[in-house]
């Protein structure tokens, strides 16, 4: 054990965790990168740190500046932590279909949160576009622009990818994760493919996203949805995602995701958010496809505590015709 120097140095270098029940079920090693152990509690801390450091290096962000972002939550949380640490203001635009826990948390962290109506990306009032326009009106401010700012995927090329390669001693057969901005999948895939062309990269997609079709047919057309997952799925191929090296895609529906997170909570004690459930559901499908003896790595994006009013709320699930596994019912 060694000492880590302050907040930003504690981002990344997360443990690689063997998920025992899934490994035993499949005969494969199902391994998860414990991104919920970052200081802001999610995989997005890495992107937040890299985007701020790139803006500092380019001179776009100077002492006392402001970081504006459109985010479903976790990027904002990561940015708020790093901005507090470096003395910047944080202003977050967020669509109104996100959990109240994330809004409350961002405000507690000191960010100014502007909740705006949920409209498609093509609409000028989309939360990302509003963030970009507002940042342009301020002095010494940046729009982090996580979807198309490739400092995001660079974070994963420079940190997540090398960590996965080291932690598996180069023994990773497949890597899978869901895509929001695509930063995690793109950066990690580019690094892993540079080490070995044999690492299979699989995009894990919730329903109601266009990315499964994009990978499997070349056309980013929407699949039936929506999904109750947060922070993942997309209707377009972002600049972060475009260069990703992807071999295949799998879909995981909401019921499979619910079964996964409740099973892991009640049988193993893990408390994960919905995207981790999608990722682990995909990892199991890939492991079954590859057969026993393979190592499949995925991302444990965040923990479950931000989702108590939705994923861990039986009434919310019932409204969506989702059932909690029998063994998890009180
Ligand atoms: N899981 C969660 C909980 C997230 O908040 C996000 C980012 N929105 C992702 C997964 C997807 O990560 P990325 O943006 O790197 O594709």
């Amino acid at each position: 054990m060694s000492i880590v120097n302050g907040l930003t140095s504690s981002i990344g270098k997360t443990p690689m965790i063997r998920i025992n029940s899934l490994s035993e079920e499949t005969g494969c090693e199902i391994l998860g990168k414990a991104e919920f152990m970052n200081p802001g509690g999610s995989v997005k801390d890495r992107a937040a740190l890299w985007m701020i450091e790139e803006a500092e290096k380019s001179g776009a962000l100077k002492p006392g500046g402001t970081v504006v972002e459109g985010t479903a939550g976790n990027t904002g949380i990561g940015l708020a932590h790093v901005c507090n640490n470096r003395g910047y203001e944080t202003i977050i635009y967020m669509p109104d279909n996100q959990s109240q826990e994330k809004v409350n948390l961002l405000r507690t962290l000191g960010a100014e949160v502007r909740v705006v109506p949920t409209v498609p990306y093509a609409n000028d009032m989309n939360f990302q576009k509003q963030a970009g326009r507002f940042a342009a009106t301020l002095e010494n401010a940046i729009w982090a622009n996580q979807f198309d700012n490739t400092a995001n995927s660079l974070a994963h090329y420079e940190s997540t990818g090398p960590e996965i390669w080291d932690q598996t001693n180069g023994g990773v057969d497949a890597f899978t994760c869901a895509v929001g901005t695509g930063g995690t999948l793109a950066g990690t895939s580019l690094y892993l493919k540079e080490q070995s062309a044999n690492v299979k990269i699989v995009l894990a997609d919730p329903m109601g996203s266009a990315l499964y079709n994009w990978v499997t047919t070349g056309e980013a057309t929407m699949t039936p949805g929506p999904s109750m997952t947060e922070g993942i799925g997309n209707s377009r191929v972002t600049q972060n995602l475009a260069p990703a090296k992807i071999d295949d895609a799998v879909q995981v529906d909401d019921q499979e995701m619910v079964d996964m997170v409740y099973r892991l909570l009640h049988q193993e004690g893990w408390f994960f958010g919905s995207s981790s459930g999608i990722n682990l559901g995909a990892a199991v499908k890939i492991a079954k496809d590859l057969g026993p003896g393979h190592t499949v790595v995925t991302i444990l994006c965040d923990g479950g505590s931000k989702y108590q009013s939705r994923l861990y709320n039986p009434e919310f699930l019932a409204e969506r015709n989702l059932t909690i596994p029998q063994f998890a019912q009180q």
Side-chain angles (χ1 to χ4, degrees):
M1 302 295 282
S2 56
I3 291 168
V4 172
N5 186 17
L7 182 109
T8 53
S9 297
S10 70
I11 293 174
K13 300 177 205 77
T14 53
M16 181 72 90
I17 297 174
R18 180 179 192 264
I19 306 294
N20 289 332
S21 60
L22 304 180
S23 300
E24 276 142 34
E25 178 190 323
T26 58
C28 287
E29 293 295 292
I30 305 284
L31 307 179
K33 226 17 205 141
E35 295 304 298
F36 60 89
M37 292 172 78
N38 282 305
S42 92
V43 66
K44 299 303 303 199
D45 283 13
R46 296 182 193 251
L49 177 60
W50 258 254
M51 291 191 295
I52 287 176
E53 288 195 338
E54 287 295 310
E56 289 171 341
K57 276 186 223 156
S58 76
L61 190 61
K62 292 179 265 306
T66 303
V67 176
V68 186
E69 182 60 319
T71 160
N74 279 325
T75 302
I77 292 165
L79 287 171
H81 280 280
V82 178
C83 285
N84 285 351
N85 185 261
R86 301 255 168 117
Y88 303 124
E89 295 296 321
T90 318
I91 301 179
I92 300 300
Y93 282 80
M94 191 165 167
D96 63 3
N97 63 349
Q98 298 297 308
S99 68
Q100 189 59 37
E101 288 99 315
K102 288 197 282 197
V103 181
N104 296 345
L105 176 56
L106 278 165
R107 289 188 172 139
T108 301
L109 294 176
E112 182 182 328
V113 184
R114 301 179 176 181
V115 179
V116 298
T118 305
V119 294
Y121 182 72
N123 188 315
D124 252 11
M125 297 308 280
N126 176 272
F127 67 107
Q128 296 163 49
K129 290 183 178 164
Q130 291 205 50
R133 276 200 301 273
F134 183 69
T137 68
L138 301 177
E139 288 288 313
N140 189 16
I142 61 155
W143 172 36
N145 188 16
Q146 58 167 330
F147 287 88
D148 296 306
N149 174 354
T150 53
N152 168 3
S153 51
L154 188 66
H156 299 283
Y157 178 80
E158 291 184 349
S159 70
T160 318
E163 290 171 30
I164 290 172
W165 190 253
D166 287 351
Q167 285 168 312
T168 58
N169 293 318
V172 48
D173 295 300
F175 172 75
T176 187
C177 72
V179 162
T181 65
T184 312
L185 185 71
T188 305
S189 72
L190 288 168
Y191 182 84
L192 292 178
K193 284 284 193 189
E194 265 177 26
Q195 311 314 305
S196 165
N198 297 331
V199 181
K200 189 172 179 184
I201 307 291
V202 183
L203 186 153
D205 215 21
M207 303 307 292
S209 167
L211 301 175
Y212 175 81
N213 285 345
W214 173 63
V215 173
T216 57
T217 72
E219 297 284 323
T221 51
M222 293 296 271
T223 59
S227 164
M228 63 160 290
T229 54
E230 292 175 47
I232 56 170
N234 207 325
S235 58
R236 72 181 178 103
V237 179
T238 65
Q239 283 178 38
N240 276 297
L241 181 59
K245 294 215 183 287
I246 305 171
D247 298 297
D248 203 358
V250 291
Q251 287 177 300
V252 180
D253 68 27
D254 280 0
Q255 187 61 60
E256 292 172 308
M257 177 276 292
V258 168
D259 289 346
M260 179 63 76
V261 297
Y262 277 84
R263 169 183 169 182
L264 291 177
L265 174 59
H266 287 267
Q267 296 181 345
E268 276 195 57
W270 297 112
F271 188 36
F272 292 137
S274 53
S275 62
S276 303
I278 296 284
N279 287 353
L280 289 166
V284 167
K285 288 184 191 207
I286 295 160
K288 287 184 175 164
D289 194 40
L290 291 174
H294 294 93
T295 296
V296 183
V297 175
T298 193
I299 303 287
L300 306 172
C301 310
D302 67 355
S305 54
K306 291 188 294 277
Y307 307 101
Q308 287 178 65
S309 65
R310 292 164 60 113
L311 180 55
Y312 293 100
N313 174 1
E315 283 158 27
F316 181 88
L317 295 181
E319 281 165 21
R320 293 182 167 238
N321 292 322
L322 295 166
T323 54
I324 298 174
Q326 197 68 39
F327 59 77
Q329 289 177 19
Q330 270 112 27

